[in-house]
Amino acid sequence: DAGVIQSPRHEVTEMGQEVTLRCKPISGHDYLFWYRQTMMRGLELLIYFNNNVPIDDSGMPEDRFSAKMPNASFSTLKIQPSEPRDSAVYFCASSFLRDNEQFFGPGTRLTVL
Amino acid sequence: AQSVAQPEDQVNVAEGNPLTVKCTYSVSGNPYLFWYVQYPNRGLQFLLKYITGDNLVKGSYGFEAEFNKSQTSFHLKKPSALVSDSALYFCAVRAPLGGGYNKLIFGAGTRLAVHP
C-alpha cells in the first residue's frame, strides 16, 4: 500500500485565494483525520470522519474552512478565502477501527502571502 | 478533561547512551496512550500504544514506554540511542467525544537530539 497520499505537497498562494488540499486515505481505513501543525499551536485536530461522515469538526477554525469526504477514498480540505495566518503544514491521517494507530500522510505545506 | 504534557522542549543525548522522553497525562477513566515520532518534512509515525496489560510496552525501532499509573506518566525510553533517532516525539492521549467516538490529544512535542 502506498500509504496516505496528500496533494499538493507545497502550496503558495496569495491572501484571498481559495485553497484546496486533497487526501487519499489507506484503502480499508474507516477513519480520516485532518490536522494542522504550526510552531505556535503545535498539532491541532481540525475535523475527522468515520465512514465518510463528519464526526467532530470543533477544531475547524472558522467558516472559511470546510472539509468533505464524498467517498471512502478521497477527502478535501478547503480554505476560502485564505489568510496569511492559515500558513501551516496540514496533515491527513487515517486509521482502521476505533482507537487504532493513525497513519499520517506527508503533509501539505501551505504558505499564504 | 483529558490532557497530556511533555515537560521538555528538547532532550540531548550522546549516541549509545540511554534516552528518556517524558510524558504525563490527565484522564478520567482508563488511559489510552500513544507515542508518535516525526522526522523532518514527514508526517507522524506510530511508535507504540498502551491500552491495558503490561506496564512496559515495546514498540518500533527499539523504543519502549513505561506506564506508571500512580505518577500518571508514560515515558518513552530506549536503552541505546542512535543518531538516526533524532526527531520530534509526540505523546498523545485518547479523549472521548461522546457517542462512542474518541479523538487523540497530542502533546507539544519533544525534540530529541542524539549527538555522535
Side-chain angles (χ1 to χ4, degrees):
Chain A
D1 199 316
V4 175
I5 299 173
Q6 290 187 249
S7 65
R9 293 293 311 275
H10 302 272
E11 177 80 29
V12 180
T13 191
E14 293 189 346
M15 182 174 63
Q17 296 298 306
E18 177 180 296
V19 175
T20 300
L21 311 182
R22 298 173 176 81
C23 175
K24 177 179 169 55
I26 293 173
S27 176
H29 282 191
D30 53 351
Y31 285 84
L32 184 138
F33 309 82
W34 281 101
Y35 290 91
R36 178 172 67 176
Q37 186 178 36
T38 61
M39 290 292 291
M40 292 298 295
R41 300 173 69 91
L43 194 64
E44 305 173 276
L45 176 66
L46 299 177
I47 186 171
Y48 86 85
F49 296 84
N50 175 221
N51 292 324
N52 313 337
V53 176
I55 300 301
D56 179 46
D57 65 354
S58 59
M60 296 286 263
E62 49 199 271
D63 292 344
R64 297 185 297 106
F65 285 69
S66 62
K68 294 182 179 180
M69 192 166 186
N71 56 62
S73 59
F74 184 66
S75 177
T76 60
L77 178 68
K78 185 176 293 186
I79 309 173
Q80 166 63 16
S82 58
E83 296 182 2
R85 60 193 168 119
D86 301 331
S87 297
V89 181
Y90 291 80
F91 289 104
C92 176
S94 69
S95 70
F96 176 62
L97 296 180
R98 199 180 61 182
D99 295 335
N100 278 351
E101 55 268 32
Q102 297 177 21
F103 292 80
F104 282 72
T108 295
R109 183 172 296 276
L110 173 64
T111 303
V112 183
L113 302 175
Chain B
Q2 269 70 0
S3 66
V4 62
Q6 295 181 242
E8 301 156 316
D9 290 337
Q10 179 153 333
V11 171
N12 296 297
V13 178
E15 188 175 31
N17 283 1
L19 69 87
T20 299
V21 182
K22 296 180 180 178
C23 172
T24 58
Y25 65 89
S26 174
V27 301
S28 54
N30 294 323
Y32 282 35
L33 299 159
F34 300 77
W35 275 103
Y36 285 79
V37 60
Q38 184 180 27
Y39 297 100
N41 300 313
R42 304 282 293 274
L44 278 68
Q45 295 179 33
F46 169 79
L47 280 179
L48 51 81
K49 67 181 177 183
Y50 172 85
I51 295 179
T52 187
D54 290 341
N55 290 341
L56 187 63
V57 179
K58 294 189 181 298
S60 306
Y61 312 122
F63 283 93
E64 57 190 26
E66 186 172 9
F67 171 70
N68 188 316
K69 188 173 183 178
S70 63
Q71 297 185 4
T72 62
S73 66
F74 189 56
H75 300 335
L76 182 69
K77 300 181 179 184
K78 188 173 183 181
S80 178
L82 301 173
V83 173
S84 57
D85 292 330
S86 299
L88 190 57
Y89 290 81
F90 291 93
C91 183
V93 64
R94 185 190 73 166
L97 289 171
Y101 290 100
N102 306 298
K103 68 178 182 181
L104 289 183
I105 296 176
F106 286 86
T110 297
R111 187 164 302 280
L112 173 67
V114 182
H115 305 284

